[in-house]
Amino acid sequence: MKSKFSLLFFLTFVITFAFQACGQKKDKTIKTTTANVISKPNNPYYSNTDTSKINIPNSEWKKVLPADVYAVMREADTERPFTGKYWDADTKGTYYCASCGNLLFKSTAKFASSCGWPSFFEQENKKSIVFREDNSIGMERIEALCGRCGGHLGHLFDDGPKPTGKRYCMNSIALDFIPDKM
């Protein structure tokens, strides 16, 4: 019975993946501008410069975050693979928490992992991301959370490239991006 369930789960995943990946445009240039990332007037907790830890109740986050961002960052939902705007982007710049603006990654730490989500081998600093065990889907994983607001970003795996051997597998929707000035 277990093998039938595993096979069914695998086939469902493959079919879902095939439909999601079909017909998607492969534009690796991010068209985000600094103006629409730094300023979030509806979110008083967003700051690209404040690194102090904040403890905001989910009821307040629900008021200031878009529903899809709230679902991922406050309820640990996951965007579908190969659908996020940053999974295969290669523009140089900096990635921030989409909830609070905390600095998370530099694009120099991003690599092509082919997993369908943006992947990084190193976080910007030791406090930018914190971790906890996640056994939510019947497998042992390490959940990655924003070190400032505690928002769900994705997961950490030990199958990344050198020098760290880590793969920070992040949800695009949990990230904001500011490109480097040319």
Side-chain angles (χ1 to χ4, degrees), residues 94-107:
T94 307
Y95 292 86
Y96 297 87
C97 173
S99 287
C100 72
N102 189 35
L103 173 63
L104 301 172
F105 302 102
K106 296 285 189 181
S107 61

Side-chain angles (χ1 to χ4, degrees), residues 149-171:
C149 72
H152 173 78
L153 301 168
H155 290 88
L156 177 66
F157 300 98
D158 289 324
D159 60 0
K162 292 180 179 181
T164 64
K166 301 292 183 188
R167 176 171 54 99
Y168 294 76
C169 185
M170 304 289 101
N171 289 287

Side-chain angles (χ1 to χ4, degrees), residues 4-181:
K4 286 182 181 178
F5 176 76
S6 297
L7 179 61
L8 179 62
F9 178 79
F10 174 75
L11 290 173
T12 302
F13 176 78
V14 169
I15 291 168
T16 302
F17 169 75
F19 281 112
Q20 292 170 357
C22 290
Q24 291 192 13
K25 187 178 177 184
K26 301 289 188 203
D27 182 5
K28 294 184 180 186
T29 304
I30 299 169
K31 294 174 176 64
T32 305
T33 65
T34 304
N36 66 5
V37 175
I38 292 176
S39 176
K40 293 203 173 187
N42 296 333
N43 184 348
Y45 312 110
Y46 194 91
S47 171
N48 290 101
T49 57
D50 186 357
T51 59
S52 60
K53 194 163 181 68
I54 56 175
N55 188 12
I56 310 300
N58 281 347
S59 58
E60 187 63 24
W61 283 120
K62 196 164 199 152
K63 295 176 189 175
V64 299
L65 296 177
D68 51 356
V69 175
Y70 180 87
V72 169
M73 300 210 68
R74 307 317 305 177
E75 297 176 335
D77 201 355
T78 300
E79 67 190 0
R80 294 183 318 238
F82 304 99
T83 63
K85 58 186 169 185
Y86 303 129
W87 79 269
D88 68 343
D90 56 11
T91 305
K92 299 298 180 209
T94 307
Y95 292 86
Y96 297 87
C97 173
S99 287
C100 72
N102 189 35
L103 173 63
L104 301 172
F105 302 102
K106 296 285 189 181
S107 61
T108 53
K110 191 172 187 294
F111 69 98
S113 69
S114 302
C115 69
W117 292 276
S119 297
F120 304 84
F121 62 81
E122 163 179 75
Q123 64 194 60
E124 181 53 27
N125 66 62
K126 291 183 181 188
K127 294 182 180 181
S128 62
I129 299 174
V130 296
F131 308 95
R132 71 176 172 205
E133 288 183 22
D134 177 7
N135 300 311
S136 62
I137 60 170
M139 60 189 283
E140 294 179 21
R141 298 184 295 172
I142 299 172
E143 182 180 15
L145 306 160
C146 173
R148 181 168 183 249
C149 72
H152 173 78
L153 301 168
H155 290 88
L156 177 66
F157 300 98
D158 289 324
D159 60 0
K162 292 180 179 181
T164 64
K166 301 292 183 188
R167 176 171 54 99
Y168 294 76
C169 185
M170 304 289 101
N171 289 287
S172 287
I173 200 165
L175 304 173
D176 279 340
F177 179 76
I178 299 178
D180 288 344
K181 293 182 181 178

